[in-house]
Amino acid sequence: MNQDDRWVRLLESVGAVQTGHFLLSSGRHSERYVQCARVLEDPRNASLLGAELARQMAGEVDRVVSPPLGGILIGYEVARALGKPFQFPERVPDGLFQLRRGFSIRPGERIAIVEDVITTGRTTRELMALLHGHGAQTVGVGAIVDRSVNHEVDGWPVRALVRLEIPTYAYSECPLCARGVPIAQPGSRKQGVKEEA
Ligand code: ZN
């Protein structure tokens, strides 16, 4: 079995890959949902995943930064494996990311961005905007699960342990809606799913 199979099986074994009818924050519907919190629930899994992702992202990195909440545990583990510091921004009331808690980033710092799941790349781009605004540079993008279509965000290839191609549907074309299957809204971001953010 290749590495990808190993990590998919790990996610499936802890119920992190769920099947059902899910409303994503983009408004689209999907029949599978990845809840990375389930695999990170066991710190041993978090360390394993972080070490492997760090191996794939190794390079000239000064700092690891992850978006809250979903990215924080895995980002921290990647930072641990790389032996580098870790920071996370927070959303201020207007919805933008901001560094708080005394966190700061120096101009020229080389930042690895780590997330749990990357789908549209929207959160990654928001984080890049914040970091670049501090004069830092992105040197890598990684995730436990890559659900993106092109496996890149703004030209950065997404390093991921698992690639899942999961179809999403507009409400009008959703086969699950057509069958009358009740829809769920997992995740933490507003009324939709964090992973689609
Ligand atoms: Zn639907």
Side-chain angles (χ1 to χ4, degrees), residues 21 29 174 176-177 183:
H21 184 195
H29 297 192
C174 177
L176 298 154
C177 283
I183 193 162

Side-chain angles (χ1 to χ4, degrees), residues 61-66 75 78-79 82 84-87 111-114:
V61 174
D62 296 315
R63 191 184 299 279
V64 178
V65 177
S66 298
V78 170
L82 291 174
K84 299 296 179 184
F86 172 79
Q87 287 183 354
I111 311 287
I113 294 175
V114 173

Side-chain angles (χ1 to χ4, degrees), residues 117 147 176:
V117 181
R147 287 187 64 172
L176 298 154

Side-chain angles (χ1 to χ4, degrees), residues 53-54 56-57 64-67 71 74-75 78 111-118 124 127-128 138-146 153 156-163 194:
L53 198 49
Q56 294 191 17
M57 298 187 73
V64 178
V65 177
S66 298
I74 186 62
V78 170
I111 311 287
I113 294 175
V114 173
E115 300 198 45
D116 54 350
V117 181
I118 292 179
T124 313
L127 196 46
M128 282 179 181
T138 303
V139 293
V141 174
I144 300 172
V145 177
D146 176 15
V153 179
W156 287 98
V158 176
R159 309 285 177 203
L161 303 182
V162 173
R163 287 225 155 91
K194 182 269 151 199

